[in-house]
Amino acid sequence: LIEDVTTSGKSIEETYPTDLTFDRPSALSEPDVRVADRFEPTDKYGEYRVRSTDIDVGGHVNNIAYVRALLGSFSNAELKELNVKKMDVVFRTSCYEGDLLELSRRKTDAGLDLRMAKDGKAAILAHME
């Protein structure tokens, strides 16, 4: 279906019914958290090599595998001290088996910002409170 739409030359307005509306309330009770992608080399604290068990049926890292990898980069003692109650994640680019991801973290007034980068570019950004 997507292939048909993109090759048919139709605009997005012509693709959906004219009476289609998006008027449901947001599922979020508060605005999205913004994580600035401004990490210094000194913020690096580790690396993660993408494993076969991280891959979903689409052939790239499953979204929850990123979160599992981030949480797994902390010791139990660190996680207890962080007392994580909330995590917001922004997915930037797909990663694949064998990719080496650089882990960076930066404390902020509101919690902890995290970054997983592939080839120097953010793959995901996260904020933990």
Side-chain angles (χ1 to χ4, degrees), residues 1-126:
L1 178 64
I2 291 174
E3 187 175 333
D4 291 342
V5 169
T6 57
T7 59
S8 70
K10 289 183 178 182
S11 70
I12 196 72
E13 292 83 14
E14 298 171 301
T15 304
Y16 296 103
T18 56
D19 60 344
L20 180 65
T21 61
F22 297 96
D23 56 1
R24 285 190 241 161
S26 174
L28 302 174
S29 59
E30 51 194 63
D32 292 338
V33 170
R34 303 286 184 219
V35 181
D37 189 7
R38 294 188 191 114
F39 289 79
E40 301 297 326
T42 54
D43 295 331
K44 180 181 174 183
Y45 73 97
E47 295 178 335
Y48 182 80
R49 177 79 61 186
V50 176
R51 301 172 175 96
S52 61
T53 55
D54 298 324
I55 304 301
D56 63 18
V57 295
H60 52 74
V61 176
N62 182 284
N63 289 354
I64 197 65
Y66 288 110
V67 173
R68 197 177 320 123
L70 277 177
L71 292 174
S73 70
F74 295 95
S75 69
N76 281 330
E78 288 174 309
L79 288 173
K80 187 176 181 177
E81 183 180 326
L82 288 169
N83 193 26
V84 180
K85 300 217 183 324
K86 177 181 172 182
M87 180 184 245
D88 294 287
V89 182
V90 178
F91 300 94
R92 286 283 183 86
T93 189
S94 296
C95 296
Y96 304 91
E97 184 178 359
D99 285 348
L100 183 63
L101 306 178
E102 183 178 281
L103 305 172
S104 300
R105 62 182 164 197
R106 179 185 59 235
K107 287 191 177 193
T108 69
D109 292 339
L112 186 65
D113 287 348
L114 301 157
R115 178 183 194 241
M116 295 180 90
K118 176 174 79 169
D119 300 326
K121 295 182 181 176
I124 72 162
L125 297 168

